[in-house]
Amino acid sequence: MELAAFLAVMEQIAPRSLALEYDNVGLLVEPDHTDIKKVLIALDCTTTTAQEAIDYGADLLLTHHPQFFYGVKSIGFSSPLTGAAALLLRHGIGHFAAHTNLDAAKGGVNDTLAELFGLLNVEPVPPENIGRVGVLPVPMKLSELVDRCNHILGCRSAYAGDPDRLVCRMAVLGGAGGGDLEEIQAAGAEVYLTGEAKHNQILEAGERDLALILCGHFETERVVLKSLLDRLQILAPDVQYKITLREKAPLLFS
Amino acid sequence: MELAAFLAVMEQIAPRSLALEYDNVGLLVEPDHTDIKKVLIALDCTTTTAQEAIDYGADLLLTHHPQFFYGVKSIGFSSPLTGAAALLLRHGIGHFAAHTNLDAAKGGVNDTLAELFGLLNVEPVPPENIGRVGVLPVPMKLSELVDRCNHILGCRSAYAGDPDRLVCRMAVLGGAGGGDLEEIQAAGAEVYLTGEAKHNQILEAGERDLALILCGHFETERVVLKSLLDRLQILAPDVQYKITLREKAPLLFS
Amino acid sequence: MELAAFLAVMEQIAPRSLALEYDNVGLLVEPDHTDIKKVLIALDCTTTTAQEAIDYGADLLLTHHPQFFYGVKSIGFSSPLTGAAALLLRHGIGHFAAHTNLDAAKGGVNDTLAELFGLLNVEPVPPENIGRVGVLPVPMKLSELVDRCNHILGCRSAYAGDPDRLVCRMAVLGGAGGGDLEEIQAAGAEVYLTGEAKHNQILEAGERDLALILCGHFETERVVLKSLLDRLQILAPDVQYKITLREKAPLLFS
Amino acid sequence: MELAAFLAVMEQIAPRSLALEYDNVGLLVEPDHTDIKKVLIALDCTTTTAQEAIDYGADLLLTHHPQFFYGVKSIGFSSPLTGAAALLLRHGIGHFAAHTNLDAAKGGVNDTLAELFGLLNVEPVPPENIGRVGVLPVPMKLSELVDRCNHILGCRSAYAGDPDRLVCRMAVLGGAGGGDLEEIQAAGAEVYLTGEAKHNQILEAGERDLALILCGHFETERVVLKSLLDRLQILAPDVQYKITLREKAPLLFS
Amino acid sequence: MELAAFLAVMEQIAPRSLALEYDNVGLLVEPDHTDIKKVLIALDCTTTTAQEAIDYGADLLLTHHPQFFYGVKSIGFSSPLTGAAALLLRHGIGHFAAHTNLDAAKGGVNDTLAELFGLLNVEPVPPENIGRVGVLPVPMKLSELVDRCNHILGCRSAYAGDPDRLVCRMAVLGGAGGGDLEEIQAAGAEVYLTGEAKHNQILEAGERDLALILCGHFETERVVLKSLLDRLQILAPDVQYKITLREKAPLLFS
Amino acid sequence: MELAAFLAVMEQIAPRSLALEYDNVGLLVEPDHTDIKKVLIALDCTTTTAQEAIDYGADLLLTHHPQFFYGVKSIGFSSPLTGAAALLLRHGIGHFAAHTNLDAAKGGVNDTLAELFGLLNVEPVPPENIGRVGVLPVPMKLSELVDRCNHILGCRSAYAGDPDRLVCRMAVLGGAGGGDLEEIQAAGAEVYLTGEAKHNQILEAGERDLALILCGHFETERVVLKSLLDRLQILAPDVQYKITLREKAPLLFS
């Protein structure tokens, strides 16, 4: 498939106009070939996934997080911030990122989370429309919901709030969601599932009496990879896809 | 003890000149009484610790984190960002914060961490001299060190790195240390104990081949409360102190 | 009356959308009670008016100028910038400010000034529509107009311009109006009544041949208190109001 | 006298290094002649003083306030901000300003004020060392001091504070001094004489219990003209000087 | 002709709304007379053209480039940045600049360039619509086009690109055009005629395989003077015009 | 030679501390090998010199201008701003830039220029000490000096000033020097040789009566390549060097 046609498919899946202003999305490393045959899908562009793309013979490494977040003024194989891009360039493999636009898109990270939890009456959380809020199929205790999170996402959650509190209206936002507590609460959520939050944000949730479940940045976002794969196989079926096998949750639990 | 004299003692323990430029430290809420008799010590100024200070009859709530981090233009009991200060003001109790100055100070957060782990040849990590780096008494596997962390800090750590890697030179920085990886590595650390780090910082540690142990923002900083108490009891013995009983680790583990 | 209902009435009187961007308006200190029974009305939130609100048993201190103009990072009874707010918080009294929105509002500060001078064909002064410009009922000498100002506003004006100049078209802007000379002149004013102006602004008025009457920041704004009271008594009649008795003009004349 | 030599004399009287960073001082309009024979001295460069300089046959108009405070992108005779400079340029007369450097200089605006009031143990007020603080020869009631101000400066002061309060330690700062209240109070002043202050600054003085006397921007600064003349006649005696006769206090009192 | 009427004609020729945001256009020096009888037209307001305006008895010096580009805080005959304005002010001659608005205007700098080269299907280059792009009447070698440039503009061009390359679609932008290469290429140009470009911009054109012809800032803009004259003679025929005779190309070639 | 040792030699030749603050110098693309055997030297890192480095089998491309001047957020072979870096990365060749530090260094760009013209009493031009000023061996007409420039630098200069003016004191600054006219004149130069200048800078030189010779950005800087080679062959003799053969002056003259 022509690169331009593949980019058009990605624009359909995660329109660039949905990305937050500060974000860096799109084709960040240009591939050698304009004929795209194999694409490796992962959450992050790291030396691990870059090497896997090489071994797989991929033409593109398609990830959620962009390799370049701030502008860089030098590039090198041994640099922790540009090493993966250097590897890809060396082997003629492109890098495409769909980040906050994939968070916000229909069928993206947060729609996938909402669906996994069977949320009803799902709506985007204003003003940025990245998170989603909806109603759980049945009210349950916070501790039960935490168990469900662990089961559904394959994670070991940490949480804040009374384990016996009965919760019903839930917001979800994959990744780092601690900066949106005011908007989440204004959307009526009693409990907020996100990936990570900072200490002061966790305390703020406590002061707001908003229950918080932290399932891991990685664990709340990797769910989108399968959704993405499914849509790509329909919209760009001529390309061969593979979801990364080597990318692991970056944190081990003791 | 006169408030002014107490402030002078705190200046001795955590000199204001050590605070980072963006920080907000010192007497942030003015107490009714200039005669300080009882001081409650905690990590955070929250409605929980404020209420405990009220119940204890404290003249001051002395914490690590400041209530006001950014300037506020309104204040209210039900506001998640100013509610604790409003409570204190209502009851004439002052609020004093020693934050990055206490991190950096001799005998402060990070010296305490270094001491708990028995680090040898301890040195501050340039350029901000907040973190500490030193040598473990005996080299050990990363997984063993993680177990020690859990034991010493009473936490359940997450970590990144090969569990069987033998580590010897360790850096410690209580709180949120993920932004300092370059400096920590330049100081020669093989393993870095801190409280919390963001997803991209954890990946960066991986690219740097720097082992990372995340023990919790709260758990890495609360160790300073006892050190602080000890020094205050020596330097300002006329005052009665209490370490908070109600402040709990903000996150529960599933 | 419910606090929320009272806030809605204030929004009707001085819509928040009329406030200038840099301004700080609305409920700046949260009261204890959500049932509003007594409101003290004043120009400024000072320790004097705060104490009066306490003695009056007010639930709210409603003022023109906000206590917090810039964000604050500490608060204290003895602080000149936050002492009044501390007093109010201590006694559970709220603080509500209607500032540039009340200047600009229909029936607000500047409409009241225009009405007191019987101006005809009154129009807002673009682009911010805070000031008002209109025609005096009869043309008069500048010196006569200054005498009228003193009589109407109970002030001792200072002025710039030829006392014998006959003036007809007049602009009014309560408070500090010296920064708007270009706009005021573009609106066709021959004479400009405002509260205070800086030295270079007074010279600029001279260069523009625009007569200037400075009646005092306080004296040009306190006229709104009665208008405000009248409208509140109609729109929220269940509440008991009092205009401050203790707030005096801050400057004495020799 | 050569222009360069005259500029060197002015540098001696009011060194450029004493000016505040935002200020604009020095030779702001270049004269036709480099031989300086006649200099008109005034507080401001206005169309009035510029015309007087023309009629006097001056080579330079020497003022306290600069004509250009912010950068200008156009210039014109009818412009209120550049008209005086246009007039001077038309007639080949230069314009030299000694502003905050003359405020701060030894023998400048504030030393002159301190001397007029017979202050003892006079010291600059840190950190900018523009204002002066000292002790009145005899303690007196605030109302008496106000009378003395009116007598010495030929003004009609407004003031804030208890007229019967006995004051002893006084700060002086010609011009607009309301932004320096914290520094003035830290220097121990009980009463602060300045030219003008804004409404919120007057209230702040009240909250600080700092008596405030406002004598007029013009009236507190014109006293320097005679001091300046005296020094110039000694240091540059070949030049003929005249203090403006046409510049009047810009405000009339009703 | 009244000055106001003349300004209205200029607004018709080069509407102020077309100027780029950073630009400084319009009446920058105010003339003595509001009756405009003679206007000198030039590219720049320099001491040379200012003196010519004086000798010609002009009421206005009308130029493409403004004298004041950044705000000035002083003015003088011997100053390289304000000397021409000082001369004009001395002689009561006004200065009017039509800069980027004249570049962009219908019939302005770039339309004139397009017309001189007989470009077909001429369109503005987005997003700023200052440059123009169109098709040459006949395709020609780059070296032939360079010869035509030299002939048409009376210049000695420098160029980058293969002299034998056949070019057809050409963009033109008088003055300094090197910052617009991406937009110019996106508009489909094969060759780009502009006045000047910086070293890195010339290299960038090479990397883009965009042929570049640099004809001189002066030489690419002076062509507008005749167009401007023609339009003024139609729209404001009562005024006498002269195109500068003394303004020469600022660079000589060796 | 070890890469680290080679970098130390470059630090000796062009110390990083001499670079201007905004500059980007040092190792900008990391090479595959830490054993440096062959280095290609050029002015710019372009696809042309990158390809030459590949063909030469270089380990490093050493240039004056850095490939990355502003931070980049994507990288690609077909990108005009990052294509050369992509090529180098593909082939494991490093890129090292010595820019304003090489301009300023002893024996760098401007010392080389000064030496080529036999300037006497050569001094750096404050405050940045990048340019050099000195006295020509014999005074000569500007036109003669221009001829010498063409001869010495192999360029076709453009110039501004009276061809018959006798000049003696000359400043030199390779590259784009038009922004430094005030400093150059303050250093006493009568004539200023630089690479390129913008239209308004050329006019400014005219107003300053400072003769200006523009010899081309490329032509004034390439002279340093031989000096650099000579020093490297002495300080790092184990490495094989080659000065680019394919890099040509980017502009052709008609």
Side-chain angles (χ1 to χ4, degrees), chain E residues 177-188:
Chain E
D180 298 306
L181 299 175
E182 186 170 3
E183 293 77 11
I184 292 292
Q185 192 165 46

Side-chain angles (χ1 to χ4, degrees), chain D residues 22-24 27-32 68-79 85-86 88-92, chain E residues 22-24 27-32 68-79 85-86 88-93:
Chain D
Y22 65 79
D23 206 356
N24 187 28
L27 192 67
L28 305 186
V29 174
E30 185 188 348
D32 272 20
F68 306 107
F69 207 74
Y70 303 104
V72 298
K73 293 186 157 190
S74 65
I75 190 162
F77 294 97
S78 70
S79 150
L88 293 176
L89 265 167
R90 164 64 57 85
H91 292 85
Chain E
Y22 65 79
D23 206 356
N24 187 28
L27 191 67
L28 306 185
V29 175
E30 184 188 349
D32 271 21
F68 305 107
F69 207 75
Y70 302 104
V72 298
K73 292 185 157 191
S74 64
I75 190 162
F77 294 97
S78 69
S79 151
L88 293 175
L89 265 167
R90 165 63 58 85
H91 292 84
I93 301 170

Side-chain angles (χ1 to χ4, degrees), chain D residues 138-165:
Chain D
V138 290
M140 64 185 81
K141 286 187 182 176
L142 177 57
S143 58
E144 289 173 308
L145 180 56
V146 170
D147 288 345
R148 277 189 62 78
C149 289
N150 290 351
H151 181 71
I152 289 173
L153 300 176
C155 65
R156 205 158 87 192
S157 307
Y159 68 101
D162 176 358
D164 292 329
R165 174 180 179 178

Side-chain angles (χ1 to χ4, degrees), chain F residues 67-100:
Chain F
Q67 163 91 138
F68 305 107
F69 207 74
Y70 302 104
V72 299
K73 293 185 157 190
S74 64
I75 189 161
F77 294 95
S78 71
S79 150
L81 297 179
T82 61
L87 262 182
L88 293 175
L89 266 167
R90 163 65 56 87
H91 292 84
I93 302 170
H95 167 38
F96 185 96
H99 188 208
T100 51

Side-chain angles (χ1 to χ4, degrees), chain F residues 6-223:
Chain F
F6 185 82
L7 297 183
V9 166
M10 282 307 304
E11 176 67 18
Q12 195 178 338
I13 292 173
R16 178 180 279 266
S17 62
L18 296 180
L20 295 183
E21 196 185 339
Y22 64 80
D23 207 356
N24 187 28
V25 302
L27 192 67
L28 306 186
V29 174
E30 184 187 348
D32 271 21
H33 308 296
T34 58
D35 185 16
I36 302 299
K37 294 182 182 153
K38 295 172 87 175
V39 171
L40 183 71
I41 303 175
L43 265 194
D44 282 280
C45 176
T46 61
T47 50
T48 300
T49 55
Q51 187 58 53
E52 188 177 5
I54 294 163
D55 296 345
Y56 175 54
D59 300 297
L60 272 186
L61 173 57
L62 169 59
T63 68
H64 184 40
H65 296 120
Q67 163 91 138
F68 305 107
F69 207 74
Y70 302 104
V72 299
K73 293 185 157 190
S74 64
I75 189 161
F77 294 95
S78 71
S79 150
L81 297 179
T82 61
L87 262 182
L88 293 175
L89 266 167
R90 163 65 56 87
H91 292 84
I93 302 170
H95 167 38
F96 185 96
H99 188 208
T100 51
N101 45 342
L102 186 60
D103 286 326
K106 203 160 143 43
V109 173
N110 293 311
D111 270 351
T112 302
L113 282 173
E115 195 184 333
L116 284 170
F117 285 86
L119 295 188
L120 307 173
N121 300 324
V122 175
E123 292 176 350
V125 177
E128 291 178 338
N129 297 331
I130 287 186
R132 297 293 187 268
V133 65
V135 176
L136 285 165
V138 289
M140 63 184 83
K141 286 186 181 176
L142 177 58
S143 58
E144 290 174 307
L145 180 56
V146 170
D147 288 345
R148 279 188 63 76
C149 290
N150 290 352
H151 181 71
I152 290 172
L153 299 177
C155 65
R156 204 158 89 193
S157 306
Y159 67 102
D162 176 357
D164 293 328
R165 176 180 178 179
L166 215 61
V167 291
C168 182
R169 189 165 173 85
M170 170 169 166
V172 294
L173 196 156
D180 298 305
L181 300 174
E182 186 170 1
E183 294 76 13
I184 293 293
Q185 191 166 46
E190 294 157 322
V191 59
Y192 180 24
L193 180 162
T194 187
E196 57 169 306
K198 296 165 74 177
H199 176 69
N200 63 310
Q201 296 167 338
I202 298 165
L203 295 184
E204 184 188 334
E207 300 283 359
R208 289 182 182 281
D209 202 22
L210 174 67
L212 189 67
I213 309 178
L214 304 180
C215 303
H217 195 116
F218 178 85
E219 290 81 356
T220 51
E221 293 189 332
R222 71 173 152 190
V223 297

Side-chain angles (χ1 to χ4, degrees), chain A residues 145-186:
Chain A
L145 181 55
V146 169
D147 288 345
R148 280 188 61 77
C149 290
N150 290 352
H151 181 71
I152 290 174
L153 300 177
C155 64
R156 203 158 89 194
S157 306
Y159 67 102
D162 176 358
D164 292 329
R165 175 182 179 177
L166 213 62
V167 291
C168 181
R169 189 165 173 86
M170 169 171 169
V172 294
L173 196 156
D180 299 305
L181 299 175
E182 186 171 1
E183 293 76 14
I184 292 293
Q185 192 166 44

Side-chain angles (χ1 to χ4, degrees), chain A residues 7-251:
Chain A
L7 298 182
V9 165
M10 282 308 303
E11 176 68 18
Q12 195 178 338
I13 292 174
R16 178 179 281 264
S17 61
L18 296 181
L20 295 183
E21 196 185 339
Y22 64 79
D23 206 355
N24 187 28
V25 301
L27 192 66
L28 305 186
V29 174
E30 185 188 348
D32 272 20
H33 307 296
T34 59
D35 185 15
I36 301 301
K37 293 181 183 154
K38 294 171 88 175
V39 171
L40 182 71
I41 302 175
L43 265 195
D44 282 280
C45 176
T46 61
T47 49
T48 300
T49 55
Q51 188 58 52
E52 187 177 5
I54 294 163
D55 296 344
Y56 174 53
D59 301 297
L60 272 187
L61 173 56
L62 170 58
T63 68
H64 184 40
H65 295 120
Q67 163 91 139
F68 305 107
F69 206 74
Y70 303 103
V72 299
K73 293 185 158 190
S74 64
I75 189 161
F77 294 96
S78 70
S79 151
L81 297 180
T82 61
L87 262 183
L88 293 176
L89 265 167
R90 163 63 56 88
H91 292 84
I93 302 170
H95 167 37
F96 186 96
H99 188 207
T100 50
N101 45 341
L102 186 60
D103 286 326
K106 203 159 142 43
V109 172
N110 293 311
D111 270 351
T112 302
L113 283 173
E115 195 184 333
L116 284 170
F117 285 86
L119 295 188
L120 307 172
N121 300 325
V122 176
E123 291 176 351
V125 178
E128 291 179 338
N129 297 331
I130 287 186
R132 298 291 187 268
V133 66
V135 176
L136 285 165
V138 290
M140 63 185 82
K141 284 187 183 175
L142 177 57
S143 58
E144 291 173 307
L145 181 55
V146 169
D147 288 345
R148 280 188 61 77
C149 290
N150 290 352
H151 181 71
I152 290 174
L153 300 177
C155 64
R156 203 158 89 194
S157 306
Y159 67 102
D162 176 358
D164 292 329
R165 175 182 179 177
L166 213 62
V167 291
C168 181
R169 189 165 173 86
M170 169 171 169
V172 294
L173 196 156
D180 299 305
L181 299 175
E182 186 171 1
E183 293 76 14
I184 292 293
Q185 192 166 44
E190 293 157 322
V191 59
Y192 179 24
L193 180 162
T194 187
E196 57 169 305
K198 297 164 73 176
H199 177 68
N200 63 310
Q201 296 167 339
I202 297 165
L203 294 185
E204 184 189 334
E207 299 284 359
R208 289 181 181 280
D209 200 22
L210 174 66
L212 190 67
I213 310 178
L214 304 181
C215 303
H217 195 117
F218 178 85
E219 290 80 359
T220 51
E221 293 188 333
R222 71 173 153 190
V223 297
V224 81
L225 302 187
K226 181 64 171 57
S227 314
L228 187 55
L229 174 68
D230 292 346
R231 299 194 63 193
L232 282 168
Q233 283 174 334
I234 292 167
L235 293 169
D238 298 347
V239 178
Q240 184 180 340
Y241 302 95
K242 179 182 169 189
I243 290 180
T244 173
L245 295 175
R246 299 189 198 163
E247 187 178 59
K248 305 291 182 200
L251 285 180

Side-chain angles (χ1 to χ4, degrees), chain B residues 22 24 27-30 32 68-79 86 89-92, chain C residues 22 24 27-30 32 68-79 86 89-92:
Chain B
Y22 65 79
N24 187 28
L27 192 66
L28 306 186
V29 174
E30 185 187 348
D32 272 21
F68 306 107
F69 206 75
Y70 302 103
V72 299
K73 292 185 156 190
S74 64
I75 189 162
F77 294 96
S78 70
S79 151
L89 265 167
R90 164 63 58 86
H91 292 85
Chain C
Y22 65 79
N24 187 28
L27 192 67
L28 306 185
V29 174
E30 186 188 346
D32 272 20
F68 306 107
F69 206 75
Y70 303 104
V72 299
K73 293 184 157 192
S74 65
I75 190 161
F77 294 97
S78 71
S79 151
L89 266 167
R90 164 62 58 87
H91 292 84

